[in-house]
Amino acid sequence: VNPALTYAVVAHPKTGRLLVAAGLVDALAAKLELPAGEAFEVVATCAGGDLVGTTYRHPVADRVSPVLAGGDYITTESGTGLVHTAPGHG
């Protein structure tokens, strides 16, 4: 996460709960093709810095991973405001 960004926990019956940069909620809803007239419910918001050191359940692999602080390369220009970091792989 980018500690300087604000993040939102959003929910929808189609997706369950997701974490996304608050500035990208609408873009994610469009990308996931939520039904016309429907939107994500914003369950909570918090600063990215508050997420650092917490953990999350990986969406594909059966494991729990730590949330790490990234840099200013994590933006709200596209995507979700989250990046995967693979130490030792560039």
Side-chain angles (χ1 to χ4, degrees), residues 8-80:
V9 176
V10 297
H12 187 274
K14 180 178 177 181
T15 64
R17 289 186 177 197
L18 302 171
L19 178 68
V20 61
L24 293 167
V25 171
D26 292 337
L28 182 62
K31 184 75 170 176
L32 295 176
E33 300 178 346
L34 294 187
E38 294 186 20
F40 281 119
E41 172 193 359
V42 177
V43 177
T45 60
C46 66
D50 292 340
L51 295 169
V52 176
T54 63
T55 59
Y56 69 97
R57 177 157 302 283
H58 192 282
V60 177
D62 185 24
R63 68 171 184 256
V64 174
S65 299
V67 175
L68 305 174
D72 59 4
Y73 57 90
I74 303 172
T75 70
T76 57
E77 292 179 24
S78 66
T80 61

Side-chain angles (χ1 to χ4, degrees), residues 1-13:
V1 299
N2 182 332
L5 295 179
T6 298
Y7 288 83
V9 176
V10 297
H12 187 274

